Amino acid sequence: MAQRVGMEVSVAIGEMVKMADADVIAAYPITPQTHIVEHLAELVANGELDAEYIPVESEHSAMSACLGASAAGARTFTATAGQGLELMHEVLYVASSMRLPVVMAVVNRALSAPLSVWGDHSDAMACRDTGWIQIFTENGQEVVDNILCAFRIAEDNKVLLPIMVHLDGFHVSHVIEPIILPDQKEINPFLPVNNYPLPLNPSQPVAMGDFGPPFIYTETKWAQEMNLRKSLDTIVGVWQNFGDRFGRYYKPVEHYRSDDAEVLLLTMGSFSETAMTAIDKMRNEGRNVGLLKLRLWRPFPFNEIRKAVAKAKALIVLDRALSFGGLNGPVCSEIKAALYNQPDKPKIVSFVGGLGGRDITITDFENIVAWGIEITEKGSKNEFEIYGVRE
Amino acid sequence: MSKAENEITWKDIEIGSIVTEAGNASQYRTGDWRSQRPEYNFSRCIKCALCQIYCPEGCIKQNADGYFETDLYYCKGCGICARECPTMVITMKEEE
Ligand code: SF4
Ligand code: SF4
C-alpha cells in the first residue's frame, strides 16, 4: 500500500520522476527549483534511476537537450524557475511545435529586476502562448500527482505536447508535507512506456524542425492549434482515470463552495489554499461567497469557466502577475474575453497582488472580496486594483 | 507528401511538421525569388562546367547538346554563374 510520508515537495517530485522511469533529465539549477534537480542528480548518480542526467551550461541548452532526447523517443524531464524559464523561451516554442512530449516542473518565481527569488506567476504568464499545456498546482500532493499525469498526457499519441506543471516557489517547493507516493506496481499500469510515433532512427530517417515557407506555415500552425485544443479531452480523461485509480480527482476548473455563491473569487496555485480558508470564514459569517480554482491555464477551459460563473453576480479575479500596459492581470483579461459574448455574466473585478513573494493572508482575501463587492456596486476609476501597494 | 504545395491542407501535416519523405524540397519553387535571369551565348561555351559547380542552387544541368543551362523553376538569379564563367557566355537580364 502507498504510504503517506512527510517529505520536501521538491524531493517528492524527484521521487515521482524516478517512479515514472524518466530516461533523460537535462537541467540547470536555479532557485527555487534547485532541490528537484539535485535530488534527481543523486538518484541517477547512486544508480536508483537508470537515466542520462545532462548537466548543461544554461536553461537554453537544457531545453535544447530535452528536445533531442524527446525526439529520440526518450521520456524526458526538466525543471526550472523564473529567469531560467525565460532563457528557455525561444526553445519552448520549438518543443510544442515539434510536438515533443517533454515534462517540466516550473517552480514559479518573480522576474528581475529587481532581482527576486520569491514567487509569483510572471514567469508562467510570459510563456502563455508557447503552445505548452500548462497545469497549476496548490500543494505537494497535487504537484506529484500531476507530474505523473503529465507524462501520460504528454506522451499520449493523440496529444504529443510538452507540459509545464507549475508550483509556487518556496510556498510549495520547499515545504515539507505529508505526501502519498503510489507504489511502483500501481504506476506501471497507469503509465505505459513512451511510444513516440516517429522517433529519430537511422533505419527510418526523418527531418525534424525543418524549414516552413509561406505556402505551408499557416497549415502547420493550425494543425498545432487544433491539436492543443483537442488535448483538453485527453487531459480530462487522464485526470478521471487517475482519480478512479488513486482516489484524487483533478479538473480544469475546480470549485470550492461555489455552487450557490453570488460572489466568486478566482485564484491559481498555492494561494487557493489560503483562499479556501478565507471562504470558510466568510461562509461562517453568513456571506454567500465561493471559490474557483483555475487548474488548467492552457489549453484554456473556456466552456468550463463560462459554466462555472453562469449563476454568479460578481467574479473577483486575483492575478499574481502584471501585464504591463495591459487592461488587467493576464488571467482576468482571458476570463473577461471568454465571457464578453455571453448574454448573462457576472460583474468582473480584477486584482493583482502577491507579487515577488508577498503574502496574501486570510484577512487579505476578506479585504479583497469586500473591496471587490464595493467595486461591483459603485464602480472604480481603475481598470484593475493593485492589492497591498503602499501609497 | 505527394500533393502539390498549394494543395496540402493542415490535416496533411505530419506530427510536428516532420518530413518523412526524402527530396521533397524539389517541389519548392525558388525560381520566383528571381529578379534577373541568366541568358546564354553558347557559341563561346567551352563546356568546362564551372557554372554548374559554382551554382549555389545546384540547378544547372547539361542539355541535349552538352551545354550547361539553368532550370528556371529553381534559379534564384544570383548571378554567380555569370561572374564565374571564364568565357563570358552568361549575361544577367532583368526579369520583366
Ligand atoms: S543565377 Fe545563380 S541560381 Fe541561377 S543558375 Fe546562375 S548561379 Fe545558379
Ligand atoms: S562556365 Fe561558362 S564556359 Fe563553362 S560550362 Fe558554364 S557556360 Fe560554359
Side-chain angles (χ1 to χ4, degrees), chain B residues 38-57:
Chain B
E39 287 196 347
Y40 299 89
N41 179 357
F42 287 129
S43 62
R44 289 208 290 270
C45 177
I46 56 171
K47 299 182 179 172
C48 68
L50 275 178
C51 55
Q52 187 187 42
I53 290 161
Y54 276 107
C55 172
E57 208 52 34

Side-chain angles (χ1 to χ4, degrees), chain A residues 151-192:
Chain A
F151 283 114
R152 164 105 176 246
I153 297 164
E155 293 168 5
D156 187 306
N157 279 4
K158 290 196 295 296
V159 177
L160 297 172
L161 285 170
I163 303 188
M164 293 181 201
V165 178
H166 294 283
L167 61 143
D168 282 318
F170 299 113
H171 285 113
V172 177
S173 62
H174 284 54
V175 172
I176 295 173
E177 288 186 27
I179 291 173
I180 301 169
L181 286 173
D183 282 342
Q184 191 67 52
K185 62 178 190 311
E186 295 175 288
I187 289 183
N188 298 346
F190 177 72
L191 183 64

Side-chain angles (χ1 to χ4, degrees), chain A residues 95-384:
Chain A
S96 58
S97 47
M98 284 172 64
R99 306 269 308 273
L100 299 172
V102 177
V103 172
M104 171 157 68
V106 179
V107 189
N108 297 124
R109 165 178 162 174
L111 297 178
S112 293
L115 190 144
S116 167
V117 295
W118 294 275
D120 70 26
H121 293 163
S122 42
D123 56 353
M125 293 302 137
C127 297
R128 185 188 68 180
D129 294 339
T130 55
W132 284 54
I133 293 171
Q134 298 193 49
I135 298 168
F136 274 79
T137 60
E138 279 173 45
N139 57 43
Q141 190 66 56
E142 290 195 4
V143 186
V144 165
D145 291 350
N146 277 286
I147 293 281
L148 176 60
C149 290
F151 283 114
R152 164 105 176 246
I153 297 164
E155 293 168 5
D156 187 306
N157 279 4
K158 290 196 295 296
V159 177
L160 297 172
L161 285 170
I163 303 188
M164 293 181 201
V165 178
H166 294 283
L167 61 143
D168 282 318
F170 299 113
H171 285 113
V172 177
S173 62
H174 284 54
V175 172
I176 295 173
E177 288 186 27
I179 291 173
I180 301 169
L181 286 173
D183 282 342
Q184 191 67 52
K185 62 178 190 311
E186 295 175 288
I187 289 183
N188 298 346
F190 177 72
L191 183 64
V193 290
N194 184 14
N195 183 25
Y196 192 72
L198 282 168
L200 292 174
N201 177 353
S203 62
Q204 199 193 341
V206 294
M208 290 183 172
D210 233 315
F211 163 73
F215 75 81
I216 201 75
Y217 190 84
T218 309
E219 283 68 26
T220 66
K221 291 293 115 179
W222 191 242
Q224 183 186 345
E225 167 68 0
M226 293 310 276
N227 181 255
L228 179 59
R229 281 170 184 263
K230 263 205 341 255
S231 73
L232 183 61
D233 295 340
T234 307
I235 296 167
V236 170
V238 168
W239 275 337
Q240 180 68 37
N241 186 272
F242 177 89
D244 295 345
R245 281 169 184 272
F246 299 97
R248 292 180 297 279
Y249 289 88
Y250 297 102
K251 295 205 171 58
V253 180
E254 289 174 15
H255 301 241
Y256 184 73
R257 305 184 77 167
S258 66
D259 286 353
D260 61 337
E262 281 186 3
V263 178
L264 288 171
L265 180 64
L266 185 140
T267 51
M268 269 164 115
S270 63
F271 281 22
S272 305
E273 303 256 306
T274 320
M276 283 192 284
T277 313
I279 295 291
D280 286 343
K281 192 157 174 252
M282 289 183 273
R283 282 273 181 182
N284 287 343
E285 291 159 4
R287 293 160 72 191
N288 197 1
V289 291
L291 178 68
L292 298 178
K293 304 186 281 182
L294 187 60
R295 174 164 312 286
L296 188 64
W297 173 230
R298 281 293 183 274
F300 192 84
F302 291 103
N303 290 330
E304 289 80 355
I305 278 285
R306 286 176 188 138
K307 222 174 117 206
V309 303
K311 285 185 279 174
K313 291 207 176 84
L315 173 65
I316 300 164
V317 180
L318 175 68
D319 266 278
R320 291 188 61 199
L322 279 163
S323 165
F324 294 105
L327 186 70
N328 296 146
V331 178
C332 191
S333 289
E334 198 81 344
I335 289 170
K336 279 190 176 173
L339 297 177
Y340 182 76
N341 283 327
Q342 297 301 105
D344 299 311
K345 49 185 170 273
K347 287 194 167 157
I348 303 172
V349 186
S350 171
F351 281 92
V352 172
L355 299 182
R358 182 148 327 160
D359 217 358
I360 300 256
T361 63
I362 295 167
T363 311
D364 292 326
F365 274 117
E366 290 177 282
N367 293 341
I368 286 170
V369 169
W371 188 4
I373 292 171
E374 192 186 309
I375 290 172
T376 61
E377 288 160 1
K378 298 187 190 148
S380 168
K381 61 181 185 348
N382 303 319
E383 300 289 359
F384 68 91

Side-chain angles (χ1 to χ4, degrees), chain B residues 38 55-57 59-60 70 75-81 92:
Chain B
C55 172
E57 208 52 34
C59 67
I60 297 176
T70 188
C75 169
K76 290 176 180 165
C78 66
I80 289 173
C81 52
M92 300 304 291

Side-chain angles (χ1 to χ4, degrees), chain B residues 15-16 18 22 29 31 36 38 52 56 62 65-66 70 81 90-91 96:
Chain B
I15 293 160
I18 288 173
R29 183 193 292 274
Q36 293 184 317
Q52 187 187 42
Q62 248 181 320
D65 302 323
T70 188
C81 52
I90 307 168
T91 45
E96 301 283 292

